Amino acid sequence: MEKPHILRRDFMGKLAVVLGYAGLGPLRLSAQGRAPQGAAAESGLPDVKKPSDYDKLVKLASNENPYGPPESVMKAMNAAWKYGSRYSAPDGGLADAIAEHHGVKSENILIGCGSAEILKVVDDAFLPDHKLVVGVDPTYETVYRYATNSKAKAIAIPLTKTYDANMKEIIRVTKANARDVGVVYICNPNNPTGRIVPKDEIKMLLDSIPSDIPVFIDEAYHHFVDDPNYEPAVKYVIEGRKVIIARTFSKIAALAGMRLGYAVAPKELIDQLRPFIMSYSTNAIVKFGGVASLKDSANEARVKQLNKQVRDRVTSELKDYGYEVIPSQANFFMVNVKKDVTPVAQDFLKKGFIVGRKFPPLNEWLRVSVGTDEDMKGFMKAFKEMFPQQTAAQTKAG
């Protein structure tokens, strides 16, 4: 097993040391979390004051749907404005619609203000009496940051050389620290790499660790996957396994700014999570949009196809230009720009493009959300103005 190295990271503005413990192998992350302060910094967006200035920028930083909500969803939300003045407004049967969509009962569903609220309540429910959350590094860091509220720490295990989750190491470390582990967190596909955890490895994880440890699987990007080795984890909820799945309407459904997400889990886990959900956290209008989105499978298929078509074209062009790209199953990808990402992102901003922030330890890998065909043609033009074409030897050396 490769011995881990010592890294230094900026956690919430404070310098912290990330250490690999002898015999453990993974990296232990400080309880301070890691993302910069402020919503703009967290999402990789600049702090733009005027909406008119913001509208001039091409946004390729937050993995949003660039095509916007379909007419069916807009129509449903517009018809729901009359409920906007009431706290206890009807929700259009959202929980029942989600349950039917997944083949579970409504008691297996918990609605949240985006999947971000689900991520927080999982930490609130399962980490106060424990010390650790186990996951990978890098991944979507919100669970690690929220762990600070419970004074918990993360054991974040480095990705493999192919940028995949090291499932055997996750299992080993979880078992070795079973008494202190409150939850195992898997983002599938992983953000920021776009790599999947194959279905056989998810099963191996669930079969190998103690059955009383919850496994939290964030499936925010599952709609974009077409790899046959992937499958959603809902079947494990139906089996009664201690699995919590987070889903969101922010990505393929194009409702990121409207904030709607949910959890799917066995009833006993939903009952543990529910007390931590903020009262009336989800707006009345978006719930109707969520119901309409679940019904509009044609739009979902259209967006998935457009994403794949544009993503594959751009990543192929980047590779032909001599730059390494991590194969992605999501609506974003990472390209190795061979220099620190932070000033690169600033240079892209000067050209009118908002791209992803740095994701340590992949400091030279730029995460780019997949925009429209026109967006990505503009991105490639800017990329070629900023970076020289690489030969095969230079790519290999990099």
Side-chain angles (χ1 to χ4, degrees):
M1 180 178 64
E2 182 180 355
K3 188 175 180 180
H5 50 284
I6 298 176
L7 300 174
R8 294 185 182 273
R9 307 278 172 81
D10 187 359
F11 291 2
M12 303 290 276
K14 298 179 180 178
L15 192 64
V17 181
V18 186
L19 297 172
Y21 281 69
L24 261 182
L27 304 178
R28 285 188 183 267
L29 295 186
S30 156
Q32 297 301 314
R34 183 158 68 211
Q37 289 180 322
E42 180 179 337
S43 65
L45 300 179
D47 187 15
V48 179
K49 301 298 183 185
K50 296 181 180 179
S52 58
D53 292 339
Y54 183 76
D55 290 341
K56 296 175 184 176
L57 298 169
V58 178
K59 306 165 197 64
L60 305 176
S62 301
N63 309 335
E64 299 142 329
N65 179 338
Y67 306 104
E71 183 179 350
S72 61
V73 172
M74 296 293 288
K75 182 178 179 180
M77 290 194 295
N78 284 334
W81 276 102
K82 59 185 177 182
Y83 301 120
S85 63
R86 304 295 183 183
Y87 288 118
S88 56
D91 64 3
L94 179 61
D96 290 340
I98 293 171
E100 181 180 358
H101 181 74
H102 291 298
V104 298
K105 299 178 180 179
S106 58
E107 66 186 18
N108 299 121
I109 305 299
L110 183 65
I111 309 298
C113 182
S115 60
E117 185 175 19
I118 301 301
L119 271 62
K120 184 178 188 304
V121 300
V122 167
D123 277 14
D124 290 343
F126 296 111
L127 289 182
D129 296 329
H130 298 82
K131 300 176 182 177
L132 300 173
V133 53
V134 178
V136 301
D137 184 36
T139 192
Y140 188 57
E141 300 160 336
T142 298
V143 166
Y144 298 161
R145 289 193 300 109
Y146 287 155
T148 64
N149 298 333
S150 305
K151 295 183 171 55
K153 294 184 178 181
I155 301 182
I157 298 167
L159 300 175
T160 68
K161 291 181 179 179
T162 55
Y163 310 102
D164 295 309
N166 188 337
M167 192 57 67
K168 290 183 178 179
E169 189 67 2
I170 291 172
I171 291 168
R172 186 185 71 80
V173 170
T174 301
K175 292 170 70 174
N177 297 273
R179 181 181 297 180
D180 292 325
V181 174
V183 67
V184 176
Y185 173 64
I186 303 291
C187 186
N188 193 22
N190 189 38
N191 179 11
T193 60
R195 302 290 289 160
I196 66 163
V197 178
K199 56 188 176 183
D200 292 346
E201 293 190 15
I202 293 292
K203 185 177 186 302
M204 180 174 68
L205 170 67
L206 295 172
D207 289 346
S208 301
I209 66 172
S211 60
D212 62 332
I213 297 178
V215 176
F216 183 27
I217 304 177
D218 185 347
E219 294 184 348
Y221 302 98
H222 87 102
H223 296 93
F224 299 100
V225 180
D226 56 16
D227 189 325
N229 291 316
Y230 174 91
E231 70 177 358
V234 174
K235 73 175 190 179
Y236 296 114
V237 174
I238 296 172
E239 289 177 7
R241 301 262 201 146
K242 208 161 187 179
V243 172
I244 305 163
I245 300 165
R247 291 285 184 92
T248 182
F249 288 87
S250 295
K251 307 305 177 183
I252 205 163
L255 293 173
M258 295 298 292
R259 313 308 302 129
L260 181 64
Y262 60 93
V264 187
K267 181 181 183 300
E268 58 270 24
L269 294 185
I270 294 294
D271 289 344
Q272 288 179 264
L273 296 174
R274 196 178 301 280
F276 297 96
I277 286 283
M278 187 174 69
S279 298
Y280 310 117
S281 66
T282 308
N283 78 71
I285 296 162
V286 74
K287 294 177 182 179
F288 288 83
V291 174
S293 178
L294 291 171
K295 295 177 180 178
D296 197 340
S297 57
N299 180 69
E300 180 180 308
R302 180 184 71 90
V303 174
K304 179 178 180 178
Q305 179 58 33
L306 284 170
N307 175 76
K308 176 176 171 57
Q309 178 181 320
V310 176
R311 183 194 67 204
D312 290 355
R313 178 185 63 76
V314 174
T315 55
S316 178
E317 187 174 353
L318 284 166
K319 287 185 284 187
D320 289 345
Y321 196 61
Y323 287 81
E324 185 182 1
V325 179
I326 299 175
S328 171
Q329 284 285 306
N331 63 337
F332 55 87
F333 59 86
M334 297 194 93
V335 55
N336 187 352
V337 295
K338 302 184 178 182
K339 60 175 67 175
D340 187 88
V341 160
T342 299
V344 169
Q346 293 169 350
D347 289 342
F348 267 109
L349 184 59
K350 293 174 185 177
K351 292 180 176 291
F353 294 85
I354 310 173
V355 293
R357 60 180 173 81
K358 187 189 300 185
F359 290 87
L362 302 181
N363 298 324
E364 297 186 347
W365 288 86
L366 179 68
R367 192 192 70 180
V368 183
S369 303
V370 178
T372 65
D373 190 58
E374 181 180 359
D375 292 340
M376 301 314 290
K377 286 177 179 177
F379 166 81
M380 281 306 307
K381 181 178 183 294
F383 189 96
K384 291 179 178 180
E385 290 172 351
M386 292 168 56
F387 297 99
Q389 186 168 7
Q390 300 286 303
T391 65
Q394 289 173 316
T395 302
K396 186 175 182 180

